[in-house]
Amino acid sequence: LSRCVAGTAEGGPSSSHVFVVRKDQDIYIQTLRKLFNESHGIFLGLQRSEEELAGKPRKAQLVQVSKNYRSVIRACMEDMHQAAISTREPALQSQYSTQVSILSAMELIWNLCEILFVEAAAAGPLLLRLLDWVRLHVCDVDNMVREVLSSEQPSKHKLFWNVVDIFVLQGRMDEARHLLSKEATANPTSGNMYKILDDLMKKMPVPSLGNTQTLTEMELKWQHWHEECQRYLQDGTFASDSHMESICKILLGDEDAILEKKELMTTWYHFLVTRLLYSHPTVKPMELRFYAQAGNRISSLDLFLGGESSPEPLDTILMAAFEFEIHQVIKECSIALSNWWFVAHLTDLLDHCKLLQSHNLYFGSNMREFLLLEYASGLFSHHSLWQLGVDYFDHCPEYGRVYLELHIERIPLNTEQKALKVLRICEQRQMHEQVRSICKIMAMKALRNNRLGSALSWSIRAKDAAFATLISDRFLKDYCERGSFSDLDLIDNLGPSMLLSDRLTFLGKYREFHRLYGEQRFTEAARLLLMLMTAHIAPCSFWMTLLTDALPLLEQKEVIFSAEQTYELMRCLEDLTVGKSEKQKFQDDNETTKVEMLRLALARNLARVIVKEGTLEGS
Amino acid sequence: QVSVINTVDTSHEDMIHDAQMDYYGTRLATCSSDRSVKIFDVRNGGQILIADLRGHEGPVWQVAWAHPMYGNILASCSYDRKVIVWKEENGTWEKTYEYTGHDSSVNSVCWAPHDYGLILACGSSDGAISLLSYTGDGQWEVKKISNAHTIGCNAVSWAPAVVPGSLVEQPSGQKPNYIKRFASGGCDNLVKIWKEEDGQWKEEQKLEAHSDWVRDVAWAPSIGLPTSTIASCSQDGRVFIWTCDDASGNSWSPKLLHKFNDVVWHVSWSITANILAVSGGDNKVTLWKESVDGLWACISDVNKGQGGVSAVTEGQQNEQ
């Protein structure tokens, strides 16, 4: 966002330091660049589609957008992970690893929000989604599984039962049964137990995604199945094998049995979902809070942690999500994360799902806009990401424009390309003030570096008459000193912009005079030259030069100036010299000589032209 | 979260009184009791000394960058009663104007919004405020407000350029009628608002709330709302936020941001006026933001340096 500079008043001479402090450091992390760029594209797509399909229900599309955001996070995580393992610097490595865990946490949270808010999964599918969510985010299982399966005798592996247990805990029945079958073949004596357990697991009713059964049907089936499991347990069917007995207890949703496998589940939210799977698979969204809520008699968090440790920020955020406290989720995320990327994009998406009530803040009409403004402002201190910020401001209806106006003027314009880029953005949005200001700055810069042509074209673009006059004067001064013009192309092609300032017009016309002279179109050149003085386009200070320019025309073999014109020229010369005081007149010898030469040339011309004009044709 | 990203070792031989970033955040100007003004290039976390300007004969209290459209121009004011305007020409920094019209230490300088032209306001311990306007060709016109504050004036800050009825699009090319205003803080414990009428500067408002010398005033940038906001800080340890809701600028109401335990030296707004930086003798720099319910909350703390923190500016920095 902004950089704050603090100066310190020191007593000692040793450290007169100034500290530079900055917020939003994250935008400078190279590997996150992809995150910002790609999410920008997704953001824009979402805004545009909203405009096109305004009002129509589009849940599926919003879910897709959410998935897109998540895949960007995952891609970034992958890059970051690669960077972490390939670097050799321990400091960098730890930084990358930290980033990976932060990104992973962000994806975890976003995924849950997608299930609960964007998709708003109803009872039934809700549990299935939550199961997917848990399976996706507890990765250690795969390693264990691989280890066990690749061993010679899987059922003898020390981790065998761990793997079976975790499959059961995650509701992965088929995989659990597959493994158990290996145990069955290895231990024919427990064949009967295995068959019963396998059967129970096969028959377990699960919510379906389609409309094949209603919730009530499902609940009924589940009740029967639950009772059947209960019977087997009470009959002592599994009494001789503690592992299988524990699995049966889990199937029955026995909390203690599930909690015993704490180490395998690793998190309280895994525990929450497992509980739900085996005690209340048809849980409704609004009932989740009772299972999650800290301090509640049946709180998953409390049961899991058992009072040993306190919840961490991630836990608080997930808790708020389970409780459907969207504003709380956003608030907690804002506090926990070091930049606004996550909350800005998530809130925008939730706003499109029409889930946020208007929450009037001083800065920004609502939460969405407030967060987007903060995020975009942060982008502006970056040398290239600022361009993304422009689009975000465009989609903030209340303050976006004024924020853009304030920020865009502060982008350093070190190259012409950058200046042109910024200008284009301003022009597209009719930010005339900013256009003018930027053009003026560029003109001033060019002038200081003696690039008169560039300065002139910038001041024309800025429609800055005063500056154009200044630069024209410089051009003319240069001409007087060096006898030639720089940037001829520019001056020759001024066109209507010549009229911006009188001096500029003069410059253009004067150059035209030179061109005409060069093309030997003397009569026209002469006419133009005279007009420049008589129409007062030329500044008085320049008349001497103009008259001197007339000399070669007067000395031509052919008579160019008419009598009338010659009289005019003489008048101009008198006007010029009469104005000077006595002491000025004879100070400059050069000057006096010139005046004398002019007088002579004019007189001679007059003589010739009178004769010429007085002569009849043919005689 | 705010973190220190760079420490600039200025090699000033004495206390630093002010540090200001330029418009783009690429350069830093510092001034000190050692009578010098230094300019550093601070791009990409670097610190290259560009210029060491000597010209003052006493501690230099404040520096201020003019808008880049006028070129690279820096103003400085000092205990030696002088205000110096420095300009960069052909890569070197030179004194372009020196103003000696004050009878006592000049404490504060502030450039007006670029829309008004190149105008510098200077507040002095002789109680007067001078307004220096560049009229072209190296010439400056001076207007003086005598006895602006009894005992002395410590700070000046311009209001953003807002055209009355600015919501209506102005036809391009026409110069809009700006009403120029600025705020000043003085040793009479008052914050005053000045308005230009018919070429004359008149006192428009007197804001009373402080019980000791006002050390700094900062007029917040405009974000298009009809409200105006001014922050003021004082020797009494208090920082007030003044807001005026109506466009005519008649009723200002103060809100206490916080009472600190020590003198508060400086206040400064971020570009979009949503964050206020405060620095004081209690050796801290704090950043403040207004919350939903209108109360101001401290969003971070930067605690650095031995001795008081005497100057704070918010600017935008750009990585190159």
Side-chain angles (χ1 to χ4, degrees):
Chain A
L1 177 80
S2 50
R3 183 160 93 159
C4 177
V5 175
T8 61
E10 309 275 345
S14 55
S15 50
S16 285
H17 284 124
V18 173
F19 295 97
V20 180
V21 165
R22 180 196 270 151
K23 278 178 73 173
D24 290 337
Q25 279 286 69
D26 289 348
I27 55 174
Y28 298 95
I29 299 176
Q30 185 67 17
T31 29
L32 286 180
R33 202 68 67 89
K34 179 192 275 197
L35 185 71
F36 299 125
N37 276 311
E38 303 215 2
S39 58
H40 164 257
I42 301 173
F43 173 82
L44 278 184
L46 178 58
Q47 311 308 308
R48 291 198 188 119
S49 69
E50 170 80 12
E51 286 158 23
E52 286 162 25
L53 312 167
K56 291 191 222 157
R58 23 189 230 113
K59 192 199 274 196
Q61 193 191 31
L62 291 168
V63 173
Q64 188 56 47
V65 170
S66 179
K67 287 185 157 63
N68 289 343
Y69 274 125
R70 282 199 294 126
S71 70
V72 171
I73 299 178
R74 278 202 300 273
C76 208
M77 224 158 75
E78 191 48 50
D79 287 347
M80 201 68 86
H81 180 69
Q82 286 305 318
I85 54 181
S86 61
T87 183
R88 263 177 255 168
E89 273 182 66
L92 263 183
Q93 195 172 53
S94 85
Q95 188 194 47
Y96 287 139
S97 303
T98 319
Q99 278 299 326
V100 173
S101 23
I102 293 175
L103 285 168
S104 156
M106 292 204 306
E107 210 257 317
L108 178 74
I109 299 168
W110 194 301
N111 199 343
L112 184 61
C113 290
E114 183 184 301
I115 296 170
L116 299 176
F117 307 137
V118 185
E119 195 184 339
L126 176 60
L127 184 69
L128 294 175
R129 292 276 183 263
L130 287 176
L131 277 173
D132 283 336
W133 178 66
V134 154
R135 286 170 195 162
L136 202 58
H137 291 98
V138 181
C139 340
D140 289 298
V141 191
D142 296 331
N143 290 333
M144 256 201 304
V145 171
R146 238 192 316 267
E147 228 189 276
V148 169
L149 284 179
S150 54
S151 75
E152 288 207 354
Q153 282 198 297
S155 56
K156 293 284 182 281
H157 197 289
K158 64 175 160 75
L159 293 177
F160 175 78
W161 283 108
N162 282 359
V163 176
V164 178
D165 284 340
I166 198 70
F167 281 153
V168 172
L169 290 167
Q170 292 189 351
R172 290 152 82 165
M173 290 313 183
D174 291 336
E175 291 166 85
R177 287 172 53 215
H178 175 73
L179 265 190
L180 274 180
S181 68
K182 297 204 193 296
E183 161 74 2
T185 39
N187 267 355
T189 46
S190 47
N192 195 35
M193 265 199 292
Y194 157 71
K195 252 216 325 237
I196 296 174
L197 190 59
D198 180 74
D199 197 49
L200 284 177
M201 286 165 85
K202 192 163 73 171
K203 285 199 297 200
M204 176 169 131
V206 279
S208 67
L209 277 173
N211 288 331
T212 51
Q213 63 175 8
T214 65
L215 273 181
T216 338
E217 277 172 19
M218 152 87 199
E219 269 171 19
L220 216 57
K221 273 196 222 162
W222 190 82
Q223 203 53 41
H224 283 184
W225 172 83
H226 188 92
E227 279 161 13
E228 199 181 336
C229 294
Q230 189 75 13
R231 268 199 306 271
Y232 279 117
L233 184 70
Q234 278 168 350
D235 286 347
T237 322
F238 304 107
S240 53
D241 187 325
S242 61
H243 290 295
M244 295 223 217
E245 190 175 54
S246 124
I247 290 178
C248 187
K249 283 190 179 160
I250 291 174
L251 291 181
L252 284 169
D254 183 321
E255 263 170 30
D256 294 323
I258 301 177
L259 271 176
E260 254 175 56
K261 312 291 174 184
K262 217 158 118 166
E263 305 302 319
L264 289 176
M265 292 187 289
T266 67
T267 63
W268 64 272
Y269 34 97
H270 189 320
F271 172 55
L272 167 67
V273 176
T274 306
R275 274 173 91 189
L276 290 172
L277 174 62
Y278 292 115
S279 59
H280 193 175
T282 53
V283 64
K284 298 194 185 60
M286 285 305 156
E287 291 168 338
L288 282 176
R289 64 178 63 220
F290 300 119
Y291 290 90
Q293 234 165 35
N296 197 321
R297 195 177 45 87
I298 51 168
S299 156
S300 303
L301 181 66
D302 290 343
L303 286 170
F304 193 84
L305 294 178
E308 282 165 17
S309 48
S310 49
E312 297 190 355
L314 177 60
D315 298 326
T316 328
I317 295 168
L318 294 172
M319 185 74 72
F322 282 121
E323 292 173 4
F324 281 79
E325 299 278 353
I326 298 183
H327 282 110
Q328 192 68 15
V329 172
I330 296 170
K331 180 175 160 190
E332 296 289 340
C333 287
S334 304
I335 296 172
L337 293 166
S338 59
N339 71 53
W340 298 102
W341 180 87
F342 183 79
V343 283
H345 289 87
L346 181 62
T347 309
D348 173 62
L349 179 61
L350 294 177
D351 189 59
H352 279 100
C353 300
K354 308 270 187 287
L355 290 170
L356 297 179
Q357 305 144 321
S358 193
H359 204 130
N360 277 323
L361 299 174
Y362 188 70
F363 320 101
S365 62
N366 54 44
M367 174 93 81
R368 168 193 172 267
E369 180 155 325
F370 172 73
L371 293 171
L372 286 174
L373 288 172
E374 290 285 340
Y375 172 64
S377 298
L379 290 175
F380 265 86
S381 40
H382 192 276
H383 67 89
S384 66
L385 289 178
W386 63 268
Q387 293 168 79
L388 305 180
V390 175
D391 290 317
Y392 286 99
F393 280 141
D394 280 345
H395 289 100
C396 291
E398 284 257 345
Y399 293 108
R401 190 188 166 86
V402 65
Y403 265 65
L404 181 60
E405 283 173 7
L406 290 168
H407 276 106
I408 207 147
E409 275 204 86
R410 303 268 177 168
I411 298 172
L413 308 167
N414 5 12
T415 63
E416 288 246 336
Q417 275 113 312
K418 202 166 185 188
L420 288 170
K421 218 186 256 191
V422 175
L423 266 181
R424 210 175 318 124
I425 291 172
C426 293
E427 281 164 357
Q428 277 169 350
R429 289 158 181 75
Q430 275 101 45
M431 293 180 165
H432 303 299
E433 272 306 312
Q434 281 68 30
V435 170
R436 232 170 284 147
S437 164
I438 290 167
C439 288
K440 272 172 133 156
I441 294 171
M442 294 307 288
M444 185 52 118
K445 250 201 202 158
L447 189 63
R448 266 184 298 134
N449 293 327
N450 261 316
R451 290 181 291 117
L452 294 181
S454 180
L456 186 60
S457 62
W458 281 113
S459 47
I460 289 173
R461 195 164 177 172
K463 300 206 188 15
D464 188 349
F467 214 65
T469 306
L470 198 105
I471 298 171
S472 307
D473 273 334
R474 280 281 288 268
F475 268 115
L476 293 166
K477 198 164 90 135
D478 276 357
Y479 170 74
C480 288
E481 283 167 19
R482 287 183 293 139
S484 65
F485 286 110
S486 55
D487 303 287
L488 282 175
D489 273 343
L490 178 63
I491 304 174
D492 283 344
N493 293 308
L494 281 175
S497 51
M498 204 191 288
L499 300 170
L500 180 63
S501 108
D502 285 343
R503 196 56 47 82
L504 186 59
T505 317
F506 170 62
L507 179 65
K509 290 286 173 196
Y510 187 51
R511 168 65 202 139
E512 197 182 319
F513 162 72
H514 279 272
R515 252 208 341 267
L516 289 171
Y517 189 92
E519 288 166 19
Q520 309 213 318
R521 289 152 68 181
F522 296 126
T523 335
E524 288 169 66
R527 204 179 310 134
L528 180 57
L529 184 65
L530 193 55
M531 192 260 287
L532 286 177
M533 284 189 281
T534 53
H536 291 280
I537 298 177
C540 288
S541 51
F542 219 75
W543 280 20
M544 202 58 216
T545 318
L546 289 176
L547 287 168
T548 320
D549 284 334
L551 262 177
L553 288 172
L554 292 165
E555 302 289 336
Q556 292 275 342
K557 260 209 300 206
E558 231 189 275
V559 166
I560 298 167
F561 286 101
S562 72
E564 178 101 22
Q565 286 175 326
T566 318
Y567 280 124
E568 282 292 328
L569 280 172
M570 288 166 108
R571 188 181 59 77
C572 289
L573 183 56
E574 287 315 305
D575 280 347
L576 202 57
T577 51
V578 107
K580 294 203 177 125
S581 68
E582 278 300 323
K583 70 169 163 117
Q584 275 179 320
K585 239 182 233 177
F586 301 108
Q587 240 160 32
D588 190 357
D589 275 342
N590 213 356
E591 189 85 355
T592 341
T593 328
K594 258 200 264 181
V595 172
E596 281 178 10
M597 275 174 63
L598 271 169
R599 289 225 174 91
L600 185 58
L602 284 167
R604 279 215 289 258
N605 192 64
L606 190 56
R608 288 195 294 162
V609 82
I610 289 175
V611 170
K612 177 177 171 221
E613 283 175 11
T615 312
L616 288 168
E617 289 297 330
S619 58
Chain B
Q1 256 159 5
V2 179
S3 47
V4 176
I5 57 158
N6 199 6
T7 303
V8 179
D9 186 350
T10 60
S11 318
H12 271 299
E13 290 146 25
D14 206 332
M15 286 199 257
I16 299 174
H17 295 291
D18 199 12
Q20 297 282 343
M21 294 282 226
D22 74 343
Y23 205 67
Y24 301 119
T26 49
R27 287 188 175 177
L28 177 68
T30 60
C31 61
S32 158
S33 273
D34 69 3
R35 292 171 277 147
S36 72
V37 173
K38 294 191 188 194
I39 302 179
F40 297 87
D41 179 333
V42 289
R43 281 178 291 186
N44 294 330
Q47 35 185 273
I48 306 166
L49 179 67
I50 300 174
D52 188 341
L53 307 172
R54 308 268 165 176
H56 282 294
E57 287 145 14
V60 188
W61 299 127
Q62 229 179 51
V63 283
W65 290 95
H67 192 276
M69 73 164 64
Y70 297 109
N72 282 346
I73 296 180
L74 185 71
S76 62
C77 62
S78 156
Y79 179 76
D80 67 357
R81 297 171 289 145
K82 287 197 265 193
V83 173
I84 300 181
V85 179
W86 313 84
K87 189 170 173 148
E88 188 185 27
E89 287 283 10
N90 300 325
T92 48
W93 282 87
E94 274 150 19
K95 195 191 293 197
T96 181
Y97 178 59
E98 191 176 282
Y99 174 66
T100 47
H102 280 290
D103 305 321
S104 194
S105 166
V106 184
N107 301 320
S108 175
V109 278
C110 184
W111 291 101
H114 66 89
D115 315 70
Y116 301 164
L118 196 58
I119 305 179
L120 185 68
C122 322
S124 162
S125 286
D126 65 4
I129 297 176
S130 310
L131 291 132
L132 316 173
S133 312
Y134 184 66
T135 48
D137 243 352
Q139 298 303 315
W140 293 76
E141 187 188 271
V142 178
K143 281 202 191 126
K144 205 171 192 188
I145 306 172
S146 303
N147 294 319
H149 289 274
T150 48
I151 309 176
C153 172
N154 294 325
V156 282
S157 170
W158 287 87
V162 177
V163 184
S166 61
L167 296 170
V168 178
E169 182 74 14
Q170 287 277 345
S172 68
Q174 245 188 308
K175 238 194 148 59
N177 294 331
Y178 291 111
I179 296 179
K180 302 190 189 117
R181 279 194 178 92
F182 69 88
S184 65
C187 302
D188 49 7
N189 307 353
L190 297 173
V191 173
K192 291 190 182 181
I193 297 179
W194 305 88
K195 178 174 159 179
E196 193 193 40
E197 247 169 56
D198 303 321
Q200 299 285 77
W201 285 93
K202 299 202 166 69
E203 182 187 304
E204 191 187 43
Q205 286 286 316
K206 216 185 288 224
L207 308 178
E208 268 182 85
H210 287 292
S211 53
D212 206 335
W213 292 12
V214 177
R215 280 288 164 190
D216 200 9
V217 287
W219 204 308
S222 154
I223 47 167
L225 293 172
T227 55
S228 297
T229 310
I230 296 177
S232 67
C233 66
S234 154
Q235 204 112 353
D236 64 7
R238 291 190 180 83
V239 175
F240 279 101
I241 309 288
W242 304 83
T243 41
C244 172
D245 281 329
D246 63 294
S248 61
N250 280 335
S251 53
W252 290 85
S253 39
K255 190 189 294 184
L256 178 69
L257 175 85
H258 190 66
K259 168 137 187 356
F260 294 83
N261 296 328
D262 206 329
V263 179
V264 184
W265 294 107
H266 280 285
V267 282
S268 164
W269 293 98
S270 64
I271 306 175
T272 43
N274 54 354
I275 302 183
L276 180 70
V278 179
S279 70
D282 61 353
N283 194 24
K284 286 201 203 151
V285 175
T286 43
L287 301 178
W288 299 79
K289 218 168 177 173
E290 191 172 6
S291 67
V292 186
D293 39 11
L295 292 173
W296 286 82
C298 178
I299 59 173
S300 80
D301 228 89
V302 181
N303 193 347
K304 281 283 174 191
Q306 303 95 16
V309 182
S310 69
V312 163
T313 31
E314 291 253 5
Q316 173 159 307
Q317 197 222 2
N318 289 271
E319 183 196 72
Q320 297 311 309

